[in-house]
Amino acid sequence: MPELDYQHQNIWPNDFGQQQSPIALTDAIPADAIELAITQPWRINQEIDDATCIRLNGIGQTIIDAQPFQFQQAHFHAPAEHFVNSDVVAELHLVHQSAVGGLAVIGLPIYLGKANATFQSVLNHFERRHTTAIELELTTLLPSHGYLYHYIGSLTTPPLTEGVQWYLIDDKKLTVSPQQLAAYQASFVPNNREIQVRNHRRLLYQAFQIKERR
């Protein structure tokens, strides 16, 4: 896979343009609570140098608003892509797919603070230009309850496909240390897509509580 040129994002092929991601998470509309249930924990078994980021492949299942999704992979963006506030330094995307091919991404903004044991394990297993085996569970990174932003957007890398359901957790407890952030940035150039025009899309702000059905 060729390395994406984040310095020249304007030349990325984009045949869409009206519902692109990321966006600024401002002026959200309060809405009814949303159901999130993890029926199979997100278990990572493979860590890949994806040229522009670390990609973590694995298995798992999540029910979002009564619809089941299979967990596919997770990856990091630093700096963060969606704008929550200026204190967010990175963003973790947990990519899911439904049985009919629909995409949903749970996004976790990451703050600077205490070291994170899960992220440290990712750093410890990372090898440039290699795929390595790893046993890791990401479910523990989610808060048990809180609030999230929900909107319809797109993938943030080509082919920039639209129709993606985005769920961004509003939680300040997910942190990495300055040393961990620096270690990640030493291997990758900034890989955040620029903020896109919202185009009158609805941005919902919803309460959630994680239910586990193992």
Side-chain angles (χ1 to χ4, degrees):
M1 179 177 177
E3 185 173 341
L4 285 176
D5 183 0
Y6 277 90
Q7 300 301 312
H8 300 91
Q9 299 179 28
N10 59 310
I11 67 172
W12 288 0
N14 179 10
D15 296 326
F16 308 98
Q18 298 304 306
Q19 293 189 326
Q20 289 291 289
S21 296
I23 63 172
L25 304 179
T26 56
D27 302 319
I29 303 169
D32 292 340
I34 190 171
E35 178 191 359
L36 283 180
I38 298 173
T39 53
Q40 296 176 10
W42 307 331
R43 291 201 171 100
I44 301 301
N45 51 40
Q46 201 174 55
E47 181 170 337
I48 300 170
D49 177 4
D50 204 7
T52 55
C53 69
I54 293 175
R55 188 171 83 242
L56 304 169
N57 290 348
I59 59 173
Q61 187 180 66
T62 309
I63 294 177
I64 306 174
D65 249 6
Q67 183 176 4
F69 287 89
Q70 295 296 322
F71 170 71
Q72 303 287 314
Q73 53 106 337
H75 58 269
F76 298 89
H77 291 272
E81 295 204 301
H82 292 83
F83 178 79
V84 182
N85 61 59
S86 58
D87 294 328
V88 177
V89 297
E91 191 171 318
L92 175 62
H93 291 167
L94 301 143
V95 182
H96 293 70
Q97 188 171 46
S98 71
V100 296
L103 294 174
V105 182
I106 296 176
L108 299 178
I110 300 173
Y111 291 79
L112 209 57
K114 294 180 179 179
N116 183 282
T118 300
F119 190 56
Q120 189 60 50
S121 183
V122 171
L123 292 174
N124 291 345
H125 283 80
F126 178 68
E127 292 185 34
R128 290 293 310 204
R129 294 179 288 278
H130 282 84
T131 296
T132 59
I134 184 174
E135 292 185 8
L136 194 66
E137 184 176 330
L138 299 184
T139 316
T140 55
L141 296 179
L142 280 179
S144 60
H145 62 279
Y147 290 86
L148 57 77
Y149 297 93
H150 174 213
Y151 78 100
I152 299 176
S154 73
L155 300 177
T156 63
T157 58
L160 304 172
T161 306
E162 293 188 345
V164 178
Q165 297 282 346
W166 279 92
Y167 303 90
L168 292 121
I169 305 293
D170 184 19
D171 179 50
K172 295 181 174 59
K173 296 179 182 177
L174 181 57
T175 64
V176 295
S177 69
Q179 294 79 11
Q180 289 178 319
L181 181 63
Y184 185 87
Q185 292 174 324
S187 295
F188 300 101
V189 300
N191 65 341
N192 59 309
R193 191 185 186 198
E194 297 169 355
I195 294 293
Q196 303 296 299
V197 179
R198 186 162 152 187
N199 288 326
H200 307 291
R201 280 174 282 173
R202 289 202 314 162
L203 174 64
L204 304 181
Y205 192 63
Q206 301 172 274
F208 73 90
Q209 183 169 354
I210 299 293
K211 297 179 180 179
E212 296 187 9
R213 302 174 183 172
R214 303 191 181 185

